[in-house]
Amino acid sequence: SDPKAKAKMTASDYEPQKRDGADKKKDNTWSKGKLTVIAAVPLIFLLMGLGDEWFSVSKKAIQGYMVNVDSITFKNMSSWQKYAKIALFLPGGFFVAWFGGGNMMSISQTTVAIGIFIQFLDVQPENVGMGLLWGRIVTGVGKACMMGATEATLYTWMSKDQRPFAKGMLLGAGGVSQMTTSFLYPAVIGRSAPYNLPLGVLVAAVVGGVAAVLTWMIHFTCGLSPPGLKGKKRLGFTQAFTATFQWMGNHPKAMVHLTLFWFITGFTEACWGSPKVEYQSLFVAWDPLFPDMFGKVHKFIQGLSAPFIGAFLGQYLTFDRLYLLPFSGLLMGLAWGAIYLEWGLALGQASRTLVLMVYIVMLGLGYNIFCVVVFPKSADLTPKPLHALMIPVSMIIGHTSQNIVLDAIMGPNMKAADAAYTAAGIRGRYGDRLSDYSPNLKVYSMLGFVAAILSIIFLCFKPDLSEEPKAFVKPLESKDGYKEIRDKVAETKEPRV
């Protein structure tokens, strides 16, 4: 090997990082820094949603106020933001590794605020919505980087057993944000014409600006950089690529774990996220009590229960939480299957509402189990400096799978229902009858069961990681430097936990 490269190496360059640490009790204690981060980062995530989510609860108002916005532009406001997020997840992760989580959260929050302000400037009755469209793209860029930065920062601060609770806190922040916006913006804008859309978007822009200022203040006053990654020296952008691919190539067993987790992620996220365009209309079609509540109630229940589920699974579960993974897909598949079979639909309204709430709880519980078990695994299996680089892969797979089901399956089923109304000479559209949802409900149920089957296969055949220590290796100028460090790690025989 290159003697110059060898001279640059220190013990920390090849010392394997223990999965739970030598003193597990010490790792799981809540230091002042951890308590600050577990409160600050979900708050930052919640503030981002309070500003940006105005659009998702105001689509009817936009169409009623800005009458010159055509259907294609309006559709692109949602789809182009999704594509921007998918495209920026991975680069955003590399920027987190480059700039640090605190810097990226602050930059991302500012980007979201700028995007909302661009949308505010375009809200005029005579405009065609191009400002709204580009503002949504800008917010999508900010949200993509924010999602990677928040998870990477939390996971890097927390121990293995604290990460499920950290993920639960992020899910809880998202649930509170969506539930709040579902009441806030309709109250400001109005639920029927005439709509006061400019005032609603002004509120969103103010919330976005305040969120950006608070995020910078939290970053500078509290400090969000994890202890193991403090200091000015971070991975460069190209070094981040090199380190990631070197680690992947030299940890084949860990990559088998990650790959199977990604497959499970694809099916589970499609099962939960693809129906988001019709959750409200589907639940309301069951004619429950308090129908206005059912627009976001699934997110609210799922979000509020997530921190408690994460805390229980991380701190009090006496066996490996991976064994709960099949129950995630099973619960979701059974819930969608029961809705498809209309179990409970013939009951009285009060009983029917109770049954529907049980199905919603099953969906939320199943998704939460998946989230707190699977998403932290990108951090559990990789060294700290690579967390921000591996976490976005799960996000890309999750969002892409949702869009595939939306575009390839749900869209054609919706068009087929519309065509059936037209062929029968009936004035109607998808969702007017409960039976319109049946083809898609079968797909949702199947996705959940496939995720459960993949989880069982993984548990039965997952490779043992005890002989493949988790170690971060800095990219060196020497081509042989990586091999030398890897061999040194092998000599320590540091077991995975």
Side-chain angles (χ1 to χ4, degrees), residues 224-402:
L224 299 173
S225 296
L229 298 181
K230 281 185 176 179
K232 295 182 178 179
K233 188 174 182 180
R234 298 189 182 94
L235 286 175
F237 195 78
T238 55
Q239 287 179 314
F241 276 99
T242 304
T244 300
F245 288 118
Q246 285 179 329
W247 186 91
M248 292 169 66
N250 286 275
H251 293 77
K253 293 180 180 179
M255 286 308 302
V256 171
H257 280 241
L258 286 172
T259 301
L260 286 170
F261 286 140
W262 291 336
F263 273 106
I264 296 169
T265 296
F267 285 97
T268 307
E269 285 287 356
C271 180
W272 170 261
S274 299
K276 60 188 172 184
V277 298
E278 59 184 25
Y279 268 116
Q280 182 174 12
S281 59
L282 170 61
F283 295 152
V284 171
W286 274 56
D287 189 29
L289 296 171
F290 314 112
D292 290 343
M293 178 183 71
F294 282 84
K296 294 289 185 178
V297 68
H298 64 289
K299 287 292 294 182
F300 189 65
I301 292 174
Q302 176 259 327
L304 285 188
S305 62
F308 300 100
I309 294 172
F312 175 76
L313 297 189
Q315 300 294 324
Y316 301 108
L317 202 66
T318 57
F319 56 87
D320 189 346
R321 49 185 168 267
L322 277 176
Y323 289 101
L324 288 177
L325 196 52
F327 292 98
S328 167
L330 186 63
L331 282 169
M332 298 175 74
L334 286 173
W336 285 125
I339 295 173
Y340 165 71
L341 296 172
E342 300 180 356
W343 290 351
L345 184 62
L347 299 174
Q349 190 177 36
S351 300
R352 186 166 61 245
T353 303
L354 180 60
V355 169
L356 187 58
M357 289 299 295
V358 170
Y359 298 153
I360 291 172
V361 169
M362 290 172 64
L363 289 170
L365 178 60
Y367 184 67
N368 280 340
I369 292 173
F370 157 76
C371 285
V372 301
V373 170
V374 169
F375 274 104
K377 284 299 176 183
S378 296
D380 294 346
L381 293 168
T382 58
K384 286 184 178 181
L386 297 187
H387 289 179
L389 312 175
M390 302 299 288
I391 288 169
V393 179
S394 297
M395 298 179 180
I396 293 171
I397 292 171
H399 282 71
T400 302
S401 64
Q402 293 177 21

Side-chain angles (χ1 to χ4, degrees), residues 57-309:
V57 298
S58 307
K59 294 180 179 180
K60 183 179 178 182
I62 295 171
Q63 291 175 311
Y65 185 85
M66 301 177 67
V67 294
N68 292 325
V69 177
D70 60 50
S71 59
I72 298 298
T73 303
F74 188 75
K75 177 180 178 296
N76 289 340
M77 290 177 192
S78 295
S79 59
W80 286 19
Q81 190 198 52
K82 291 188 297 185
Y83 300 143
K85 286 164 62 178
I86 292 173
L88 266 294
F89 276 138
L90 191 56
F94 284 96
F95 280 116
V96 171
W98 193 6
F99 293 132
N103 287 332
M104 276 309 300
M105 277 186 274
S106 303
I107 294 170
S108 301
Q109 196 79 281
T110 304
T111 303
V112 172
I114 292 171
I116 298 172
F117 185 68
I118 292 172
Q119 296 171 57
F120 168 71
L121 295 177
D122 189 51
V123 178
Q124 298 295 332
E126 65 276 7
N127 289 348
V128 297
M130 293 307 296
L132 282 178
L133 176 60
W134 285 106
R136 291 283 292 166
I137 294 173
V138 173
T139 57
V141 171
K143 289 179 71 174
C145 295
M146 176 66 82
M147 292 171 72
T150 51
E151 291 213 23
T153 300
L154 279 177
Y155 293 164
T156 307
W157 268 93
M158 304 299 159
S159 69
K160 177 181 178 181
D161 289 335
Q162 291 170 332
R163 287 168 186 155
F165 176 63
K167 178 61 179 178
M169 287 293 289
L170 283 179
L171 293 172
V176 172
S177 172
Q178 293 207 15
M179 199 65 180
T180 304
T181 55
S182 68
F183 291 109
L184 172 64
Y185 292 109
V188 174
I189 295 171
R191 298 181 182 275
S192 59
Y195 298 104
N196 195 349
L197 191 62
L199 179 60
V201 188
L202 175 61
V203 171
V206 171
V207 171
V210 171
V213 172
L214 286 176
T215 302
W216 282 105
M217 290 176 60
I218 291 171
H219 174 43
F220 284 124
T221 58
C222 299
L224 299 173
S225 296
L229 298 181
K230 281 185 176 179
K232 295 182 178 179
K233 188 174 182 180
R234 298 189 182 94
L235 286 175
F237 195 78
T238 55
Q239 287 179 314
F241 276 99
T242 304
T244 300
F245 288 118
Q246 285 179 329
W247 186 91
M248 292 169 66
N250 286 275
H251 293 77
K253 293 180 180 179
M255 286 308 302
V256 171
H257 280 241
L258 286 172
T259 301
L260 286 170
F261 286 140
W262 291 336
F263 273 106
I264 296 169
T265 296
F267 285 97
T268 307
E269 285 287 356
C271 180
W272 170 261
S274 299
K276 60 188 172 184
V277 298
E278 59 184 25
Y279 268 116
Q280 182 174 12
S281 59
L282 170 61
F283 295 152
V284 171
W286 274 56
D287 189 29
L289 296 171
F290 314 112
D292 290 343
M293 178 183 71
F294 282 84
K296 294 289 185 178
V297 68
H298 64 289
K299 287 292 294 182
F300 189 65
I301 292 174
Q302 176 259 327
L304 285 188
S305 62
F308 300 100
I309 294 172

